[in-house]
């Protein structure tokens, strides 16, 4: 049976060029700072994002955890969206491991936090309160549908942060999707953040790894926190080698994923029982509702999987489909055809 796996861009497998780069990578002990391939990737990432330095970690979750723990101490508070990956999907690591309190602010449908909500969440200096320290943003915003935050919005949050002496961390797991979709240099999207994390292992198709970028001082401190969480690894050039190929070869092609997501969204929007807001489909994520079908999202996905098309149920009636490297236009057409068959019974 033909399988079309649209559950996540994390299912991407390394490209032939990545496997070749892994096989031939020059290696050393990265805890000693001696892995030349890791050093090259970190320098490349910092340059690409317009930051002074970068640090390789094993996952996006580790990147966010290390970043928050570098900015914040015990009893400090982060201001974070109620649909943020950091809040919903990282097992509460900031509080579990860092004693960091979180103050949730509603995510708007466009992935932003309203400036007034951020401002209202900032604590006064009072011994009853945790200390506000950090604003966490996410671009693209996963649970808001892969929508993009703009440089203009980032600048407004920066002004607010400066007014209250707060730092900004940007969870940019899919920051290159945002840059490609908006047609801006990624530097523009991260300029106003003190730290930014991004994933090599999603649409960029590397097998493992994320990077944290920031100032020299921040990255030096983050390197110690990475050691604390057990993230100091040795011949990590094995991982970095694929990451270099990801940055060199896999960014521009994200546009294909966006075109395929658009095709999928337009097809789904015309199907009975399915509702979807095409304006929210800006990158490679397609969220839709199946409340008008006889099934819950889980039942819908189970029936679809039996026909070889895999998607994720992310709410009682909400389904997410993700386009990525390895998914061609014909796969999307096949998925649409399969769904219309399922709906016809
Ligand atoms: C996937 C994701 C992460 C975490 O990445 P992992 O490598 O799966 O730990 C963080 N933030 C966002 C927005 C993500 O989509």
């Amino acid at each position: 049976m033909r399988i079309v796996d649209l559950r996540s861009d994390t299912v991407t497998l390394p490209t032939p060029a990545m496997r070749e780069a892994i096989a031939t990578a020059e290696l050393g002990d990265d805890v000693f700072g001696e892995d030349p391939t890791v050093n090259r990737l970190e320098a490349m990432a910092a340059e690409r994002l317009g930051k002074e330095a970068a640090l390789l970690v094993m996952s996006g979750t580790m990147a966010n955890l290390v970043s928050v723990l570098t900015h914040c101490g015990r009893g400090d508070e982060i201001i974070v969206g109620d649909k943020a990956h950091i809040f919903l999907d990282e097992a509460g690591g900031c509080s579990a491991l860092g004693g960091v309190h979180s103050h949730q602010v509603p995510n708007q449908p466009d992935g932003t936090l309203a400036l007034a909500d951020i401002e209202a969440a900032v604590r006064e200096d009072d011994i009853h309160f945790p200390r506000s320290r950090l604003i966490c943003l996410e671009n693209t915003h996963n649970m808001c549908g892969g929508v993009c935050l703009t440089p203009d919005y980032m600048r407004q949050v920066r002004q607010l942060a400066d007014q209250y002496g707060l730092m900004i961390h940007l969870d940019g797991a899919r920051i290159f999707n945002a840059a490609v979709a908006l047609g801006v240099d990624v530097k523009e999207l991260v300029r106003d953040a003190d730290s930014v994390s991004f994933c090599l292992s999603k649409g960029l198709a590397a097998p493992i790894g994320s990077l944290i970028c920031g100032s020299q001082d921040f990255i030096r401190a983050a390197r110690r926190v990475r050691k604390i969480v057990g993230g100091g690894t040795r011949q990590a050039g094995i991982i970095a080698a694929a990451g270099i190929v990801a940055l060199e070869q896999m960014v521009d092609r994200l546009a294909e994923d966006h075109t395929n997501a658009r095709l999928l969204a337009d097809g789904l929007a015309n199907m009975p029982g399915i509702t979807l807001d095409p304006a929210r489909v800006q990158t490679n994520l397609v969220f839709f509702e199946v409340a008008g079908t006889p099934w819950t999202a889980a039942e819908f996905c189970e029936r679809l999987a039996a026909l070889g098309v895999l998607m994720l149920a992310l709410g009682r009636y909400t389904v997410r489909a993700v386009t990525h490297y390895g998914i061609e236009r014909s796969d999307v057409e096949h998925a649409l055809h399969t769904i219309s068959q399922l709906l016809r019974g």
Side-chain angles (χ1 to χ4, degrees), residues 16-239:
M18 287 178 189
R19 290 183 187 268
E20 173 69 20
I22 291 166
T24 57
E26 206 186 328
L27 302 174
D29 187 331
D30 181 48
V31 175
F32 294 159
E34 291 174 3
D35 189 301
T37 309
V38 172
N39 292 343
R40 208 172 125 224
L41 172 63
E42 290 178 346
M44 188 184 274
E47 205 274 322
R48 187 78 173 252
L49 269 70
K51 298 293 182 191
E52 288 175 7
L55 181 69
L56 174 67
V57 294
M58 294 301 108
S59 68
T61 300
M62 188 184 278
N64 287 332
L65 177 66
V66 168
S67 298
V68 173
L69 266 52
T70 303
H71 285 296
C72 302
R74 301 186 72 80
D76 286 348
E77 189 169 69
I78 60 172
I79 296 169
V80 61
D82 64 350
K83 295 192 177 70
H85 197 278
I86 288 178
F87 176 60
L88 292 178
D89 292 311
E90 301 186 5
C94 298
S95 61
L97 301 180
V100 175
H101 200 242
S102 77
H103 195 147
Q104 295 89 247
V105 162
N107 271 113
Q108 302 302 311
D110 65 0
T112 62
L113 307 178
L115 298 176
D117 289 341
I118 297 177
E119 194 161 15
V122 179
R123 306 282 191 166
E124 286 169 37
D125 184 8
D126 182 313
I127 60 160
H128 294 85
F129 300 154
R131 283 174 304 254
S132 302
R133 187 71 74 192
L134 179 68
I135 300 168
C136 296
L137 301 172
E138 187 174 311
N139 197 8
T140 65
H141 201 289
N142 186 343
M143 290 303 286
C144 290
V147 293
C148 307
L149 304 185
T150 62
D152 184 52
Y153 174 72
M154 293 301 295
R155 195 168 321 115
Q156 294 175 44
V157 178
R158 179 78 263 168
Q159 277 167 7
L160 198 58
D162 288 345
Q163 193 181 328
Y164 290 99
L166 305 178
M167 300 289 162
I168 299 175
H169 172 68
L170 180 62
D171 175 355
R174 298 188 179 84
I175 193 69
F176 287 104
N177 291 89
V180 167
L182 294 170
V184 300
D185 188 323
V186 68
K187 292 185 181 79
E188 304 283 319
L189 292 175
V190 307
R191 174 170 297 140
D192 288 311
D194 297 285
S195 58
V196 50
S197 55
F198 73 88
C199 290
L200 297 166
S201 59
K202 293 193 167 163
L204 302 185
I208 302 171
S210 286
L211 284 132
I212 306 170
C213 302
S215 69
Q216 292 281 7
D217 285 348
F218 180 82
I219 294 299
R220 195 176 304 115
R223 202 174 283 280
R224 183 182 297 262
V225 176
R226 184 184 71 171
K227 196 80 180 99
I228 291 174
V229 301
T233 52
R234 303 297 175 173
Q235 284 71 40
I238 292 284
I239 290 163

